[in-house]
Amino acid sequence: MKFLHLGDLHLGKSVNNVSMIEDQRYMLGEIIRLTRERQLDAVLLAGDLYDKNVPTEEAVALMNDFLCALAESGVCVFAISGNHDSDIRLDFASSLLTGRGVYIAGAYNGTIPHFDAEDEYGPVHFWLLPFVKASRVRYFHKDLDTSTYDAAVRSALSGAEVNTQERNVLIAHQFVTAGGQDPALSGSETRRAESVGTVEKVDASAFAQFDYTALGHIHRSQRVGSDHIRYAGSLLKYSLSEAGQDKAFPIVTLGEKGDVRVEPVTIKPLHDMRHITGRFAQLTDPANVTEPEDYMYVTLTDEEMILDALLKIRRIYPNVLKLDYNNRHTADIENFDITQTASQKSFPEIIDGFCRYVLGREPGEEEWKAINAAAKEAGILDETD
């Protein structure tokens, strides 16, 4: 039995107001090609199929095309909801889809559905645990321990009659730790907390009875305490914090009971996402320009502001997502406690001082009009100011 583990597709996502739909379409096309070349039996989708609870028409159409192409190739699909998905919407027509080899678990209804496949070594049981909150488990299992999220997930899993003498695969969308050690996080996830997003922690030991656990939710591809408990990572790089990551999706081969092999595979995206830092003259020197079509975060280290820097940079790198500065001025601003200064000065004095410090000049007449309008809308100034 050979399958591809994917998660966190986030179809329909935009990054800095730039739609990723064509990049996602390209990646899903490459995945379809991979399943045919490697003669895979199944594709596992570990939640966050869509980026929003109510996905865009483009995202739904793309998912439809993807599932149809896999079904036509004879590849089974096992999918669950993530915390970004609408579980009810994913469940729509799921009973009909099972006839085409597409198995979806959207809403948790008190049981963990499982579907069986067969190979030369016997049956493989695929268990689908959709994203679930402790309160949802408590609703169906008032007699079981749901005092913590870890306990709630274990209680939910206790209802699965797993035959440990045979091969079992679990698909789940959770924030999983290993012996108290958090997975490698990125961006806003780097804070140490009891949850990431809306998902609380569960220890990897909860999945000990499964031969492989396919996880979704964390965007970095990695193992969690064991080679057989893994995050696939997101389909694409979706933030500055992911720019330095290498995405690799696990192809898992199940031999006879106890024989589990994991092969990470990379797929070159239509556009990579990179972060470049340096002086304007260095970054725009043709000798230093590589892969200009990539999605770019640009940080300029020039001490002086470059006039129309973003426009000029985009003539070379058309897909710049964001431009900022890292110099003496920005360093001072990061260490500047504005609350003390604000308590001693009027609003116009604060704005005037800020612009003089950052821009080297006072605000112009049109800038003042825009600033005052925004301040009134925010309630900082009243209509008489």
Side-chain angles (χ1 to χ4, degrees):
M1 179 69 61
K2 187 182 295 185
F3 56 82
L4 176 66
H5 169 196
L6 299 174
D8 298 273
L9 305 184
H10 287 279
L11 298 188
K13 186 174 182 62
S14 293
V15 180
N16 289 47
N17 296 317
V18 175
S19 172
M20 296 286 110
I21 197 74
E22 291 307 318
D23 296 81
Q24 293 170 335
R25 190 186 313 280
Y26 175 83
M27 285 295 288
L28 294 184
E30 290 296 285
I31 287 167
I32 292 167
R33 181 181 59 80
L34 178 67
T35 63
R36 292 168 178 168
E37 288 183 352
R38 300 292 295 268
Q39 298 183 320
L40 301 183
D41 300 296
V43 171
L44 280 49
L45 303 177
D48 282 358
L49 278 61
Y50 296 109
D51 190 55
K52 297 184 183 303
N53 192 270
V54 181
T56 64
E57 291 182 14
E58 282 186 311
V60 174
L62 180 55
M63 177 60 73
N64 177 74
D65 292 344
F66 180 54
L67 295 181
C68 286
L70 291 174
E72 289 168 3
S73 297
V75 177
C76 290
V77 177
F78 300 96
I80 62 169
S81 64
N83 57 303
H84 278 248
D85 297 311
S86 166
D87 50 11
I88 299 300
R89 288 185 174 88
L90 284 186
D91 273 336
F92 175 75
S94 59
S95 297
L96 292 174
L97 291 173
T98 58
R100 295 296 305 276
V102 178
Y103 307 94
I104 299 176
Y108 175 75
N109 60 7
T111 61
I112 302 177
H114 76 278
F115 305 94
D116 299 337
E118 192 92 15
D119 66 8
E120 64 269 31
Y121 297 108
V124 178
H125 309 290
F126 290 89
W127 299 84
L128 278 57
L129 175 63
F131 168 66
V132 63
K133 296 181 179 180
S135 58
R136 184 76 172 169
V137 179
R138 190 176 303 119
Y139 176 82
F140 288 103
H141 302 289
K142 296 179 176 61
D143 56 331
L144 298 179
D145 183 7
T146 56
S147 57
T148 66
Y149 190 71
D150 182 272
V153 171
R154 291 175 188 270
S155 292
L157 290 171
S158 69
E161 297 180 358
V162 178
N163 181 350
T164 57
Q165 300 303 307
E166 297 178 341
R167 294 165 299 168
N168 295 273
V169 175
L170 176 70
I171 310 170
H173 189 91
Q174 313 293 341
F175 180 30
V176 179
T177 65
Q181 181 65 44
D182 288 356
L185 308 178
S186 58
S188 61
E189 297 174 345
T190 54
R191 68 189 187 281
R192 290 192 62 83
E194 288 304 309
S195 65
V196 172
T198 60
V199 185
E200 298 176 271
K201 293 181 181 180
V202 57
D203 192 79
S205 59
F207 312 122
Q209 59 189 327
F210 298 98
D211 296 89
Y212 184 84
T213 299
L215 296 173
H217 186 51
I218 303 301
H219 285 196
R220 185 188 294 270
S221 178
Q222 61 191 290
R223 66 194 291 277
V224 185
S226 164
D227 284 338
H228 302 161
I229 302 174
R230 304 186 73 92
Y231 283 105
S234 56
L235 181 67
L236 291 165
K237 300 175 182 180
Y238 288 132
S239 68
L240 171 61
S241 62
E242 298 177 43
Q245 295 180 14
D246 293 323
K247 300 293 183 183
F249 311 113
I251 288 182
V252 181
T253 302
L254 297 181
E256 56 186 338
K257 179 71 176 181
D259 179 14
V260 182
R261 287 159 283 167
V262 179
E263 176 194 355
V265 296
T266 58
I267 298 176
K268 182 177 174 57
L270 188 61
H271 302 97
D272 198 0
M273 184 176 289
R274 295 190 289 136
H275 184 200
I276 58 174
T277 302
R279 295 177 61 84
F280 179 82
Q282 296 171 325
L283 299 184
T284 56
D285 185 341
N288 298 326
V289 175
T290 59
E291 303 293 341
E293 298 294 324
D294 286 347
Y295 292 117
M296 306 295 290
Y297 286 87
V298 179
T299 298
L300 297 178
T301 58
D302 301 80
E303 290 297 333
E304 301 299 326
M305 303 287 286
I306 305 296
L307 183 64
D308 294 328
L310 181 58
L311 178 62
K312 293 174 180 176
I313 286 285
R314 277 187 171 152
R315 290 172 183 165
I316 300 170
Y317 298 102
N319 294 318
V320 173
L321 298 172
K322 182 180 179 181
L323 183 144
D324 60 13
Y325 283 82
N326 182 12
N327 55 27
R328 177 175 54 84
H329 297 292
T330 58
D332 289 345
I333 291 172
E334 288 179 0
N335 297 323
F336 181 60
D337 185 0
I338 196 171
T339 57
Q340 294 184 4
T341 301
S343 64
Q344 302 167 9
K345 293 186 177 183
S346 66
F347 177 75
E349 288 175 328
I350 293 171
I351 297 299
D352 183 76
F354 178 81
C355 289
R356 288 178 183 275
Y357 185 82
V358 175
L359 303 177
R361 59 173 177 81
E362 64 182 8
E365 182 178 350
E366 293 301 316
E367 290 171 323
W368 269 120
K369 289 181 181 179
I371 292 168
N372 286 331
K376 289 176 182 178
E377 185 177 343
I380 298 172
L381 298 178
D382 59 42
E383 293 300 327
T384 61
D385 290 326

